[in-house]
Amino acid sequence: MTVPCLLEAWSAHEAELLRYLRHRLRQPAEAEDVLHDLFLKAMRQRERFCAVNNPRAWLFEVARNIVIDNGRREDFSQPLPDNLVALDEAGGELAPVDQLSACLPRVLSELATEDREALECCDIDGMTQKAFAELKGLSLPAAKSRVQRARQRLRAQLLCACQVQLDEDGKVCCFVPRPPLG
């Protein structure tokens, strides 16, 4: 069942919506598909669509959300070129802060289990803090605080255990490497 107010709004704004979608999407041919999805979403509203104060604004907001959702689903990773060589393999030297990553496994193992777990889940494995909160039965603010405190303790442990020295700009200039536990 089509709703007359929807058909009226659609007729008035369809061309403008299509131009908007063609401009926003990577592949302009995709715009017709998104426009179709938008029409279906509007149709599902039925009589509720007639209660919308500004149908044009509603249509554009839903179109924008669909574009954003499609963008989130895309995989933006691209393979690295074969001729890309790591700096240390090419004879160049890594920055001291990058070399400091060699100390990380051992220092991480020396942290309290709670701190190590928070850092491994959120910073190393890429888990969101919200998911971490749910996993641990914490509120989101409590999980964020736990991760923040763990980061501070890791920093303090790195500075102490690896004897990190900072330059006048606060950047790592040198440190004493610690061999991994063996």
Side-chain angles (χ1 to χ4, degrees), residues 34-88:
V34 172
L35 190 67
H36 180 260
D37 292 343
L38 174 61
F39 184 72
L40 291 176
K41 284 184 185 251
M43 287 292 292
R44 284 187 209 111
Q45 294 297 310
R46 299 188 181 185
E47 289 80 24
R48 289 177 294 192
F49 185 84
C50 296
V52 172
N53 289 336
N54 187 342
R56 180 182 180 275
W58 187 93
L59 290 167
F60 273 91
E61 181 178 353
V62 174
R64 182 180 61 85
N65 290 339
I66 292 172
V67 169
I68 290 169
D69 290 344
N70 286 350
R72 288 180 180 150
R73 281 190 284 264
E74 288 181 14
D75 182 16
F76 288 105
S77 64
Q78 296 178 1
L80 293 174
D82 292 334
N83 62 353
L84 187 65
V85 178
L87 288 177
D88 56 348

